[in-house]
Amino acid sequence: MKGDKDTGMHKLNMTAIGESALLVEFGNHIGEQVHEWVQAAAARLETDPFPGYLECVPSFTTLTVYYDLLQVKNAEGNGTAFDYVSSLIGKRFESIVADGTRPREVVEIPVCYGGEYGPDLAYVAEVNGLDEKEVIHIHTSRELLVYALGFAPGFPYLGGLPDGISAPRRATPRLCIPAGSVGIAGSQTGIYPLETPGGWQIIGRTPLALFQPEQDPPVLLKSGQYIRFKVIDPSEYERLAGGSR
């Protein structure tokens, strides 16, 4: 099932992805401008929810909207639940603006690079014709947008990794990556929130806990924030490890 709503900002596509959710597409390429629309739409639903609205999940170019089917069906009239909900969403999105004036929220992520904390730093430097200090300098040189969370609870998919420090995934993934490990795979960088298997090249580790299920919210980062990596030494890592947020 699929429908279109012209919001005035651009053609907006909505697709049913089950009985109680739909996907809103804001563009077909990854970029900060498209993601600005995604964030503006999510904010509108959070501040002006429709009857039966449960939650929405932003991603690179889309927003998934979940709703209570029983509550919606009591109000949908002669159409389907998808028709009813997409109509309500379309009306709410008619007046949203994404003009780049949203306050930039930046989270600083301290990272201890190299050595036991980043066993693949030397490899990433070698494949790019750099030394380790140059890789660290480039990795910490700019703010990176959190486009989405996934793979594991609190795992940030980041955009904006500078050119020159990309690296292929490991031919054989490791069976156990420590929580907090910072990796590079292709032109992406990310942080493992939990101890998991993984094939990314590990260049460092943060002492911050990205996922703490006993806290509210349980994850440190959220879509739409920016992060900036900051160099720390092993003694600072040990001082910060295990501390509260």
Side-chain angles (χ1 to χ4, degrees):
M1 186 178 297
K2 195 163 187 173
D4 298 324
K5 295 291 179 185
D6 188 351
T7 67
M9 56 180 178
H10 53 71
K11 199 73 171 180
L12 196 62
N13 296 320
M14 301 189 200
T15 305
I17 54 173
E19 292 186 331
S20 57
L22 61 80
L23 185 75
V24 188
E25 301 174 71
F26 292 84
N28 55 14
H29 67 278
I30 296 172
E32 293 195 16
Q33 187 174 16
V34 171
H35 195 68
E36 187 73 22
W37 284 112
V38 175
Q39 291 297 324
R44 172 55 57 87
L45 287 181
E46 289 295 321
T47 57
D48 183 22
F50 57 84
Y53 169 78
L54 294 177
E55 65 173 337
C56 63
V57 179
S59 188
F60 286 89
T61 62
T62 63
L63 185 70
T64 302
V65 182
Y66 295 91
Y67 51 88
D68 183 329
L69 180 61
L70 293 179
Q71 189 172 349
V72 166
K73 287 187 72 66
N74 289 333
E76 67 185 35
N78 296 326
T80 65
F82 169 76
D83 292 335
Y84 178 69
V85 172
S86 60
S87 174
L88 295 176
I89 290 175
K91 291 177 182 177
R92 280 164 173 75
F93 289 179
E94 285 176 350
S95 59
I96 62 173
V97 293
D99 55 6
T101 59
R102 182 171 58 92
R104 175 174 289 209
E105 185 179 353
V106 182
V107 180
E108 188 174 80
I109 304 293
V111 177
C112 189
Y113 288 91
E116 64 177 290
Y117 303 94
D120 300 321
L121 178 61
Y123 172 78
V124 173
E126 180 183 357
V127 298
N128 287 287
L130 303 171
D131 62 36
E132 295 184 9
K133 289 184 178 179
E134 289 173 315
V135 172
I136 296 170
H137 174 72
I138 294 172
H139 196 253
T140 57
S141 66
R142 66 173 61 169
E143 295 168 358
L144 307 173
L145 175 61
V146 180
Y147 278 96
L149 301 177
F151 163 64
F155 180 95
Y157 285 96
L158 304 171
L161 181 70
D163 296 333
I165 57 171
S166 62
R169 293 173 61 92
R170 291 175 56 83
T172 303
R174 292 186 172 93
L175 296 179
C176 182
I177 303 278
S181 293
V182 177
I184 288 177
S187 59
Q188 285 194 307
T189 186
I191 312 167
Y192 286 84
L194 300 171
E195 184 179 284
T196 69
W200 292 34
Q201 305 289 350
I202 304 303
I203 63 172
R205 194 188 313 164
T206 179
L208 298 185
L210 272 65
F211 177 59
Q212 293 179 289
E214 71 279 8
Q215 292 202 12
D216 184 19
V219 296
L220 174 65
L221 303 173
K222 61 182 179 182
S223 174
Q225 289 178 322
Y226 287 80
I227 73 168
R228 188 173 190 120
F229 294 111
K230 174 189 174 185
V231 181
I232 59 173
D233 60 25
S235 62
E236 183 70 358
Y237 178 96
E238 297 303 326
R239 187 184 72 80
L240 295 173
S244 58
R245 293 174 183 168

